[in-house]
Amino acid sequence: MTWLITGGAGYIGAHVVRAMTGAGERTVVYDDLSTGVPDRVPDGVPLVVGSTLDGGRVARALRDHEITGVVHLAAKKQVAESVSLPLHYYRENVEGLRVLLDAVTSADVRSFVFSSSAAVYGMPYTAGPVTEETPCLPLSPYGETKLAGEWLVRAAGAATGLSTACLRYFNVAGAARPDLADRGVSHLIPMIFERLADGLPPRVFGDDHPTPDGTCVRDYIHVVDLAEAHVAAAHALASAPGRNLTVNIGRGEGVSVREMIDRVNTLTGHDRPPVITPRRPGDPAHVVASAERAAAELNWKAHLGLDDMITSAWSGRQRTHP
Ligand code: WQD
């Protein structure tokens, strides 16, 4: 099969492209380079520069490259930004997906893998693992656009026979190589790095949450494991036309903010205890995946642990901040 990877020049996209090509799939990257970086695209993989809002350009890419599968990663993903620019997020993440699906369902594409998010759950009522049946009550426009995206994908699948998989990413971290590391500083691990590099104490956004140590608990997944989950999803869809899957992609293990800060201090050779700051609005106390469906339906589970996420991300930061 030949796969169009939208957003394939991004942090997660670059890992997905490498995993798919490593599994013997032909890939083509489609990216508007608004945040993607061309030199993340491996030699030999064609890059089409464009937005998924440009239906004509998407249709030409699908036809010219004889695309039979699509992995859709291109999206805006800053939660705080989505609160101040909701219409921009709905246009990019929902209308962009609708235009893409219009082209996909008019072409010879048989499989569609969609990058969704644990953000669709909002503040899950359960203190235990979050299953795919947990009610989805997103707390941000970003999370809303991901849930609306799932509705579009599942509806298109049901109406046309397109095989679909919505993958709900939990908290992604780490890198396969330093040059492929996440260059953003909008998530916990890079934000800890930034504070330590500036000689400042890492910040804990609230230590009065209903969790064992009072700090928020999340399910961190290595980007290499996440990329392999896309290969597993591609294979699962190729073997079952008309299938519609919705799957959590997480390790099924919770790590608290305080535990993460302690581990980052240790692994990066620092010793800087955190400072407690007020809670961040909308932060759920505990969001940890049930990884059972991924194991059962995709025959996939994570292999890489927290230390590799931290050390590989740290190597990436040292490369861009020598
Ligand atoms: C993690 C925890 C913060 C920084 C993200 C994104 C989205 C989605 C799910 C894919 C929170 C706390 C953070 C700091 C802190 N994934 N924190 N001090 O909010 O769980 O959600 O993952 O789509 O990408 O929404 O991730 O890394 O922002 O925060 O205490 O300096 O760390 O309060 O509890 P989050 P995050």
Side-chain angles (χ1 to χ4, degrees):
M1 290 183 70
T2 303
W3 293 82
L4 189 77
I5 318 284
T6 75
Y11 157 56
I12 294 175
H15 287 88
V16 171
V17 168
R18 283 166 175 76
M20 295 287 279
T21 45
E25 302 288 342
R26 284 190 60 235
T27 57
V28 175
V29 169
Y30 189 91
D31 199 300
D32 68 3
L33 301 183
S34 57
T35 53
V37 178
D39 62 13
R40 277 186 173 143
V41 181
D43 293 342
V45 174
L47 166 62
V48 178
V49 181
S51 163
T52 57
L53 285 159
D54 183 344
R57 187 185 298 265
V58 170
R60 277 192 302 280
L62 294 175
R63 187 179 57 245
D64 294 352
H65 294 280
E66 298 175 333
I67 299 297
T68 51
V70 172
V71 178
H72 180 46
L73 308 172
K76 300 302 174 192
K77 63 171 187 174
Q78 304 299 337
V79 172
E81 185 183 56
S82 78
V83 175
S84 51
L85 298 174
L87 300 182
H88 178 58
Y89 269 66
Y90 271 91
R91 182 170 187 272
E92 291 288 330
N93 293 1
V94 180
E95 177 60 4
L97 172 58
R98 191 200 63 74
V99 171
L100 174 64
L101 283 169
D102 223 5
V104 160
T105 52
S106 308
D108 296 333
V109 179
R110 297 194 294 272
S111 301
F112 193 91
V113 179
F114 174 59
S115 164
S116 186
S117 166
V120 304
Y121 294 116
M123 204 169 282
Y125 65 86
T126 172
V130 175
T131 71
E132 289 85 352
E133 283 72 39
T134 299
C136 294
L137 303 168
L139 291 171
S140 67
Y142 165 75
E144 292 167 358
T145 67
K146 285 300 180 180
L147 184 57
E150 291 189 13
W151 296 337
L152 282 176
V153 170
R154 285 193 286 267
T160 67
L162 180 71
S163 299
T164 70
C166 295
L167 304 184
R168 291 175 177 170
Y169 301 176
F170 279 66
N171 291 54
V172 188
R177 306 186 322 231
D179 60 312
L180 297 180
D182 186 5
R183 301 179 190 180
V185 187
S186 55
H187 294 311
L188 176 60
I189 293 175
M191 289 168 82
I192 297 171
F193 290 166
E194 186 115 312
R195 296 284 292 184
L196 294 176
D198 291 345
L200 297 170
R203 291 175 299 185
V204 174
F205 297 158
D207 67 346
D208 57 349
H209 293 276
T211 61
D213 67 11
T215 68
C216 290
V217 176
R218 293 290 184 274
D219 184 332
Y220 296 91
I221 176 83
H222 199 295
V223 68
V224 169
D225 280 327
L226 175 70
E228 288 302 328
H230 290 73
V231 176
H235 290 163
L237 294 185
S239 63
R243 200 173 187 186
N244 279 290
L245 290 171
T246 300
V247 188
N248 288 337
I249 304 299
R251 281 192 307 148
E253 291 177 36
V255 177
S256 77
V257 173
R258 188 177 290 281
E259 288 167 337
M260 181 69 84
I261 291 171
D262 292 349
R263 202 68 196 136
V264 170
N265 263 310
T266 301
L267 293 174
T268 61
H270 291 87
D271 180 16
R272 204 171 282 282
V275 63
I276 308 300
T277 62
R279 287 186 179 192
R280 186 170 67 173
D283 261 343
H286 185 281
V287 188
V288 174
S290 160
E292 289 182 13
R293 181 177 292 182
E297 301 284 348
L298 303 184
N299 188 27
W300 172 90
K301 73 180 184 68
H303 296 288
L304 296 166
L306 193 66
D307 286 6
D308 196 305
M309 291 181 224
I310 294 169
T311 53
S312 62
W314 181 245
S315 301
R317 175 172 169 103
Q318 288 180 302
R319 180 177 177 276
T320 51
H321 300 71

